Each structure stands twice: as C-alpha cells, then as structure tokens.
Amino acid sequence: MSTMMKAMRFVGDLDDDFYKDERQRDVWNEASAVGLQSVFWAVFVSSAILPGSPAEQGRGSRSRC
C-alpha cells in the first residue's frame, strides 16, 4: 500500500465499524430502489399490454341519456 493510502486510512479511520454499518445500509437502500423500480416497470408494462375492462370496451362513444 502506498504512503498516501496509509495516511488516508489513518486520517479517515476507514476500518471503524461505523463504515461497515454505513456500507450495509447503502447496499440495502440500493437493493430497495432496484426492487421498487422493477415493480413500477412491471406495472407500466402490464398496463400497456393488458386490455381494458370488458364493460368499458363495449360502450363505444355514445353516452346514455
């Protein structure tokens, strides 16, 4: 390891347990974001592919008065 990296590790104290917890939290947040985006895409794709309800399809443009 270079002298610069050793100095940065000493000054930043990157081996502290706080950073391990913080990294785990970041991984969890990213995984949650990916899961949520997957659900959104699934909803968008299914709403584009699936037809409307049969009651709405048979009505046409006439209104009942």
Side-chain angles (χ1 to χ4, degrees):
M1 198 176 336
S2 70
T3 307
M4 180 66 173
M5 290 299 291
K6 288 180 184 176
M8 288 173 46
R9 266 187 118 59
F10 177 74
V11 170
D13 194 20
L14 298 178
D15 293 327
D16 191 30
D17 286 339
F18 171 76
Y19 292 107
K20 292 177 188 171
D21 291 342
E22 189 65 26
R23 174 152 171 35
Q24 184 62 31
R25 207 173 1 256
D26 286 342
V27 168
W28 174 255
N29 286 342
E30 289 296 324
S32 297
V34 168
L36 186 62
Q37 289 175 358
S38 299
V39 169
F40 283 157
W41 276 106
V43 168
F44 291 147
V45 169
S46 63
S47 64
I49 292 174
L50 295 175
S53 68
E56 290 294 324
Q57 287 181 357
R59 265 193 199 170
S61 61
R62 292 180 288 158
S63 63
R64 296 182 187 188
C65 292

